[in-house]
């Protein structure tokens, strides 16, 4: 039996394992048995009278790694966050967020505290509820805790843990303890809190929706997006668990991928989403498990093992199906693929046009699998798209957001760095970095586009002077819309990455290649980062809206115009001047647990070394914990309205919550030598790939046509 996988392919009766071995697997099962018994005792309300604890150990129970039930049942399960509408910021709240009702007794249970203060640094913080529990409830809680602690001590489970990255004894008073200064903060402990949040999310999914593509944490059910499921959540979260060293959970996910994941399904899927999440997730898992065997080590991944290439084999199977999307007259991929029939399909709207960002955000994945397999057609198909797009000769490197797969021409004139435009720009610089800066054409295209962004999209708000990237919905000759999707907040980090190539700013400045333009670009990155952070601070929950509008001058100030800058200390006072610069429409107030801002915080911290970016990330993380936790052990949910307290829940956990948002939080609080930025490139779904040399087999198969000063092709 493989003791690292007690619920794996060699599954036995949990009871028999418990009786016959004292291995780590047995201890793991003991934890689960204790969990089941205590829950039964709680439900019967007869802890004191029914202490004989006679029970049968179930064969299939949820993971107990990182004290799931203690945390969920006593903290998350009693959260004051509800799935219904709440009050606006000016009204007193009966509840006080996640810890309002339970923080005092949780503190007593784990910390020996009388009470835990709520946030002091949030615009709309409310005092903890003072409702007194009935005496029998308090006794039951105490007795249950004593029984559980006694059993855990008896079986020795405090001495061993399955998942080595997780603190063996969580003390949930951390969220409300006295604030640490930047100099005294223990960032590794803060990182452990992120791991705990991840395991709460994952274990809720594992318990209520295992194998399903969609998870509804409030209703505690799952749904499939295809007849047999695509492993949407499992595959997307896999490399996060490897990084976090969550070995048992990786083993369970790997088992599902091996035994249950099949792409032989008569189903249309999004070319883009399936590539960045599923193909990217499998390729990243292959990279991490093969190059960093100390991360969540599994015998199945060892060289020579029968399943050594599982992730790569699945990735190759999927890529063979997805690559049919490129079989269009122009080479621009169609929006969808029937993965069972190997058939490409045009989009159902926009006259069948594909999204520009989606057609140009497949290249990292297909180039990497080409490098791994030696299959050159993956490379050639993906790179051809870049030539077709560039041959349109757009002005100043700014592309409309739709493109026809039939002839490779753009549809419409809408230009933005939000949805359907964003990752085109991101993958320009990342393609350059992926091949160790050997494809200079992509650096040239990136620099041209960034100049275009400065010239046509950057302006400043009034009265405070935030720097924003607006939109040109009617083309570059049309008016500037002061609208920013949350998606645009990938730009600060991407700009900084483009300037230094992944080195620190201090290292890059020592090189002879450092220029005044590099200095200006870093300043733009800093200003945009502050703007993205302001969109969080403006909201009642401290969690940004999906779309934010800004107050700008008419006509808008040019990027080169002198402008004031707001202070980093964004006062939470509802009457603070900086708040006048921002507006959020009611229909845009949802928060989907998106990663772009924390992604940029991660890059900005690594590159500048400015501690404020870590602190902003920590404050953001606390807001997620406080306002998105779901009752009764459901994990976390996206929000329908993040500008009321308590917020309105959406009853959905996005897969990128696990794949991106929590991963970037983890990396933000990690030492800088974990995935060093000058050695890797991270895809748009936060899946890390290695940088590599192209070698003799691969090359840039096209050259740019001559351009004028505006980037238009000279005929």
């Amino acid at each position: 039996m493989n003791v690292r996988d007690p619920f794996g392919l060699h599954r036995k009766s949990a009871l028999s394992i418990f009786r016959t071995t004292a291995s780590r697997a047995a201890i793991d099962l003991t934890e689960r048995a204790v969990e089941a018994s205590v829950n039964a005792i709680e439900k019967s309300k007869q802890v004191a009278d029914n202490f004989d604890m006679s029970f049968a150990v179930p064969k299939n129970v949820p993971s107990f790694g990182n004290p799931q039930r203690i945390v969920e049942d006593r903290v998350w399960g009693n959260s004051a966050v509800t799935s219904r509408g709440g009050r606006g910021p000016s009204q007193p709240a009966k509840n006080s967020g996640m810890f309002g009702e339970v923080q005092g007794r949780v503190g007593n249970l784990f910390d020996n505290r009388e009470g835990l203060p709520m946030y002091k640094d949030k615009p709309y913080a409310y005092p903890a509820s003072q409702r007194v529990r009935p005496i029998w409830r308090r006794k039951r809680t105490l007795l249950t805790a004593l029984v559980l602690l006694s059993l855990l001590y008896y079986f020795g489970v405090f001495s061993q843990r399955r998942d080595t990255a997780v603190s063996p004894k969580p003390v949930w008073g951390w969220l409300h303890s006295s604030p640490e200064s930047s100099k005294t903060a223990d960032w590794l402990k803060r990182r452990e809190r992120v791991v705990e949040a991840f395991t709460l999310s994952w274990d809720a999914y594992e318990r209520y929706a295992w194998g399903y593509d969609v998870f509804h944490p409030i209703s505690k059910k799952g749904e499939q997006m295809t007849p047999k499921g695509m492993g949407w959540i499992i595959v997307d979260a896999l490399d996060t668990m490897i990084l976090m060293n969550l070995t048992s959970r990786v083993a369970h996910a790997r088992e599902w991928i091996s035994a249950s994941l099949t792409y032989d399904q008569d189903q249309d899927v999004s070319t883009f989403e399936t590539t960045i999440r599923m193909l990217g997730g499998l390729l990243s898992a292959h990279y991490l498990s093969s190059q960093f065997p100390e991360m969540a080590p599994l015998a199945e991944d060892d060289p020579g093992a029968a399943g050594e290439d599982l992730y790569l084999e699945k990735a190759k199977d999927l890529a063979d199906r997805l690559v049919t999307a490129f079989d269009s007259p122009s080479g621009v991929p169609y929006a969808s693929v029937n993965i069972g029939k190997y058939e490409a399909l045009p989009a159902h709207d926009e006259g069948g046009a594909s999204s520009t960002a989606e057609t140009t955000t497949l290249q990292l994945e297909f180039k990497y699998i080409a490098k791994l397999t030696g299959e050159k057609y993956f490379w050639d198909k993906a790179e051809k798209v870049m030539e077709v797009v560039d041959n349109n000769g757009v002005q100043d490197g700014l592309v409309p957001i739709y493109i026809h797969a039939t002839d490779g021409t753009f549809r419409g004139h809408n230009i933005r760095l939000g949805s359907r435009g964003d990752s085109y720009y991101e993958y320009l610089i990342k393609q350059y970095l992926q091949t160790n800066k050997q494809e200079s054409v992509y650096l040239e295209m990136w620099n041209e586009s960034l100049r275009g962004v400065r010239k046509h999209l950057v302006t400043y708000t009034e009265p405070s002077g935030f720097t924003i990237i607006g939109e040109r919905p009617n083309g570059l000759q049309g008016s500037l819309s002061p609208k920013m999707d949350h998606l645009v907040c990938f730009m600060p980090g991407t700009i900084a990455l483009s300037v230094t190539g992944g080195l620190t700013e201090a290292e890059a400045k020592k090189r002879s290649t450092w220029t005044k333009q590099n200095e200006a670009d870093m300043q733009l990155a800093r200003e945009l980062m502050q703007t993205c952070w302001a969109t969080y601070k403006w909201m009642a929950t401290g969690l940004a809206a999906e779309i934010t509008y800004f107050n700008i001058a008419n006509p808008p100030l040019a990027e080169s115009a002198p402008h004031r800058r707001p202070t980093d200390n964004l006062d939470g006072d509802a009457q603070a001047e900086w708040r006048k610069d921002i507006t959020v429409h009611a229909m845009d107030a949802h928060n989907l647990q998106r990663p772009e801002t924390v992604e940029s915080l991660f890059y900005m911290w690594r590159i500048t070394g400015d501690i404020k970016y870590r602190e902003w990330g920590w404050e953001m993380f606390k807001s997620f914990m406080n306002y998105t936790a779901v009752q009764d052990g459901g994990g976390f949910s996206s929000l329908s309205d993040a500008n009321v307290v308590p917020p309105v829940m959406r009853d959905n956990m996005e897969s990128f919550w696990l794949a991106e948002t929590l991963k970037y939080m983890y990396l933000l609080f990690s030492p800088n030598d974990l995935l060093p930025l000058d050695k890797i490139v991270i895809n748009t779904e936060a899946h890390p790939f290695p940088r590599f040399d192209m070698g003799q087999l691969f090359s840039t198969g096209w050259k740019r046509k001559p351009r004028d000063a505006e980037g238009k092709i000279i005929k």
Side-chain angles (χ1 to χ4, degrees):
M1 174 185 171
N2 178 5
V3 297
R4 290 182 300 175
D5 188 15
F7 298 104
L9 298 175
H10 307 289
R11 198 179 296 256
K12 295 182 179 180
S13 164
L15 182 57
S16 66
I17 296 173
F18 171 76
R19 290 174 174 170
T20 57
T21 179
S23 66
R24 285 185 66 189
I27 293 172
D28 190 9
L29 292 168
T30 301
E31 291 178 304
R32 297 178 182 221
V34 170
E35 173 197 359
S37 68
V38 172
N39 285 340
I41 293 170
E42 289 255 355
K43 291 179 180 178
S44 66
K45 300 181 182 180
Q46 295 177 353
V47 175
D49 297 330
N50 296 284
F51 194 60
D52 57 344
M53 302 290 285
S54 58
F55 57 90
V57 181
K59 292 183 179 179
N60 297 290
V61 292
S63 171
F64 190 79
N66 185 313
Q68 177 78 19
R69 285 297 186 179
I70 296 178
V71 175
E72 289 182 348
D73 291 348
R74 306 203 184 286
V75 182
W76 312 97
N78 294 282
S79 170
V81 176
T82 69
S83 60
R84 301 183 180 181
R87 295 164 191 75
S90 63
Q91 296 171 277
K94 294 180 181 179
N95 300 319
S96 55
M98 171 179 147
F99 286 92
E101 181 180 322
V102 298
Q103 60 178 341
R105 63 177 180 274
V106 173
N108 291 336
L109 185 60
F110 295 111
D111 280 351
N112 295 319
R113 301 183 183 189
E114 293 183 359
L116 299 169
M118 285 294 292
Y119 296 142
K120 295 181 179 179
D121 53 356
K122 282 294 170 200
Y124 310 113
Y126 297 90
S129 169
Q130 302 299 317
R131 183 172 68 86
V132 179
R133 299 183 73 194
I135 189 68
W136 71 268
R137 290 281 292 176
R138 284 179 279 155
K139 289 181 178 179
R140 189 183 72 170
T141 299
L142 178 60
L143 287 171
T144 300
L146 290 174
V147 170
L148 181 59
L149 291 171
S150 298
L151 287 169
L152 292 175
Y153 180 82
Y154 176 79
F155 288 113
V157 297
F158 277 151
S159 64
Q160 299 189 43
R161 299 297 305 173
R162 298 185 305 159
D163 298 327
T164 57
V166 179
S167 171
K169 184 181 178 183
V171 181
W172 286 90
W174 60 267
L175 193 56
H176 304 285
S177 58
S178 300
E180 302 168 293
S181 70
S182 299
K183 294 181 179 180
T184 62
D186 188 332
W187 292 103
L188 289 180
K189 285 186 177 180
R190 290 183 173 185
R191 186 177 75 164
E192 288 179 3
R193 304 292 83 83
V194 178
V195 177
E196 289 167 358
F198 179 94
T199 57
L200 286 169
S201 301
W202 176 264
D203 291 353
Y205 165 72
E206 189 177 46
R207 179 180 302 115
Y208 300 116
W210 180 248
Y212 285 94
D213 295 325
V214 178
F215 177 42
H216 302 296
I218 297 173
S219 54
K220 297 184 174 53
K221 63 182 181 182
E223 294 179 11
Q224 295 291 30
M225 297 193 302
T226 66
K228 300 176 184 178
M230 288 279 288
W232 206 251
I233 291 174
I234 294 173
V235 174
D236 214 9
L238 183 58
D239 61 356
T240 306
M241 292 189 289
I242 294 174
L243 284 170
M244 291 181 175
N245 206 25
L246 300 176
T247 308
S248 64
R249 291 169 176 82
V250 173
H252 192 193
R254 192 188 191 285
E255 175 197 341
W256 186 91
I257 292 169
S258 177
S260 302
L261 180 57
T262 176
Y263 300 120
D264 190 16
Q265 306 182 52
D266 184 5
Q267 179 67 42
D268 302 347
V269 301
S270 164
T271 304
F272 165 71
E273 296 288 357
T274 308
T275 298
I276 65 168
R277 301 194 198 204
M278 301 297 95
L279 182 59
L282 290 166
L283 291 173
S284 179
H286 170 77
Y287 166 57
L288 294 178
S289 62
S290 60
Q291 298 302 312
F292 303 93
E294 71 281 2
M295 293 181 180
L298 297 176
E300 294 89 339
D301 295 330
D302 292 344
E308 174 190 1
D309 293 326
L310 172 66
Y311 303 136
L312 182 56
E313 290 169 359
K314 290 290 186 181
K316 174 63 163 58
D317 182 17
L318 181 57
D320 282 338
R321 299 166 191 267
L322 292 174
V323 77
T324 59
F326 296 88
D327 293 337
S328 69
S330 70
V332 171
Y334 288 107
S336 300
V337 172
N338 185 303
I339 55 173
K341 295 181 178 180
Y342 294 75
E343 292 180 356
L345 302 162
H348 299 298
D349 57 2
E350 297 299 331
S354 299
S355 160
T356 303
E358 293 181 0
T359 63
T360 54
T361 311
L362 312 169
Q363 283 65 31
L364 296 185
E365 296 78 7
F366 277 95
K367 285 185 174 182
Y368 183 36
I369 196 168
K371 183 69 174 179
L372 289 171
T373 64
E375 299 288 356
K376 191 172 183 295
Y377 66 91
F378 288 138
W379 184 289
D380 293 342
K381 294 278 190 180
E383 193 154 60
K384 175 65 175 178
V385 183
M386 304 307 300
E387 180 182 15
V388 174
V389 169
D390 195 55
N391 281 347
N392 277 274
V394 296
Q395 182 179 345
D396 294 321
L398 300 179
V399 296
I401 62 174
Y402 292 103
I403 187 170
H404 292 288
T406 50
D407 61 8
T409 60
F410 289 114
R411 172 182 171 87
H413 305 283
N414 193 337
I415 291 175
R416 66 187 185 211
L417 269 65
S419 63
R420 303 187 182 277
D422 51 356
S423 48
Y424 163 75
Y425 306 96
E426 176 188 358
Y427 269 36
L428 290 179
I429 189 60
K430 288 185 175 180
Q431 284 184 80
Y432 171 67
L433 297 175
Q434 182 183 34
T435 53
N436 282 326
K437 304 180 181 180
Q438 294 174 317
E439 297 184 280
S440 58
V441 62
Y442 297 117
L443 176 62
E444 182 182 338
M445 293 171 70
W446 161 261
N447 286 333
E448 184 178 289
S449 296
L450 185 56
R451 289 194 297 270
V453 169
R454 286 179 174 276
K455 180 178 178 181
H456 298 286
L457 303 181
V458 170
T459 190
Y460 307 103
T461 68
E462 295 182 334
S464 304
F466 289 106
T467 302
I468 70 166
I469 296 177
E471 299 180 0
R472 297 277 182 178
N474 297 310
L476 297 184
Q477 308 311 314
S479 61
L480 179 70
S481 169
K483 167 181 173 284
M484 268 182 66
D485 292 355
H486 185 277
L487 292 165
V488 179
C489 287
F490 82 94
M491 273 296 279
T494 302
I495 292 172
L497 178 65
S498 74
V499 172
T500 72
L503 299 174
T504 66
E505 185 178 20
E507 291 170 332
K509 282 185 173 181
K510 294 177 182 178
R511 300 195 170 191
S512 59
T513 53
W514 186 263
T515 66
K516 290 184 178 180
Q517 187 59 52
N518 292 148
E519 196 77 42
D521 287 346
M522 285 301 303
Q523 181 60 29
L524 177 61
R526 287 181 167 90
E527 292 180 14
L528 290 171
M529 188 75 262
Q530 183 190 40
T531 302
C532 291
W533 178 233
T535 66
Y536 279 74
K537 294 289 288 183
W538 194 88
M539 298 288 283
T541 60
L543 297 172
E546 178 72 358
I547 298 171
T548 302
Y549 287 83
F550 295 87
N551 182 43
I552 62 174
N554 187 13
L557 291 177
E559 181 269 340
S560 58
H563 62 283
R564 61 177 296 190
R565 289 185 58 204
T567 174
D568 281 339
N569 182 22
L570 300 178
D571 190 351
D573 185 348
Q575 303 303 317
E577 184 182 58
W578 70 270
R579 297 179 64 84
K580 300 175 183 177
D581 296 48
I582 296 175
T583 299
V584 172
H585 300 165
M587 295 297 293
D588 302 329
H590 47 290
N591 179 281
L592 301 183
Q593 305 171 294
R594 286 201 186 275
E596 288 77 23
T597 297
V598 68
E599 171 188 353
S600 281
L601 289 173
F602 160 65
Y603 282 111
M604 293 298 288
W605 156 250
R606 285 281 185 95
I607 290 170
T608 71
D610 192 332
I611 196 68
K612 73 182 178 185
Y613 298 123
R614 269 185 157 181
E615 293 291 358
W616 290 356
W618 177 242
E619 189 172 339
M620 183 192 306
F621 176 71
K622 290 192 295 183
S623 292
F624 275 120
M625 296 301 96
N626 199 40
Y627 293 111
T628 70
V630 174
Q631 295 181 7
D632 304 322
F636 301 85
S637 173
S638 53
L639 305 177
S640 293
D641 191 340
N643 205 29
V644 292
V645 176
V648 182
M649 295 283 192
R650 288 176 67 90
D651 192 18
N652 191 62
M653 183 193 76
E654 302 290 345
S655 73
F656 50 69
W657 166 248
L658 302 177
E660 299 189 72
T661 307
L662 290 177
K663 181 186 292 164
Y664 280 124
M665 291 283 186
Y666 181 82
L667 291 173
L668 177 61
F669 304 147
S670 292
N672 290 359
D673 60 358
L674 178 61
L675 299 183
L677 290 182
D678 60 338
K679 304 297 182 184
I680 63 160
V681 63
I682 303 176
N683 91 334
T684 197
E685 188 72 8
H687 297 307
F689 303 151
R691 300 190 189 187
F692 55 81
D693 293 327
M694 290 188 291
Q696 296 182 350
L697 184 61
F698 304 107
S699 62
T700 305
W702 65 283
K703 294 182 180 180
R704 301 191 80 194
K705 296 179 178 180
R707 319 266 154 163
D708 63 18
E710 290 187 339
K712 295 181 179 180
I713 294 174
I714 300 173
K715 297 181 180 180

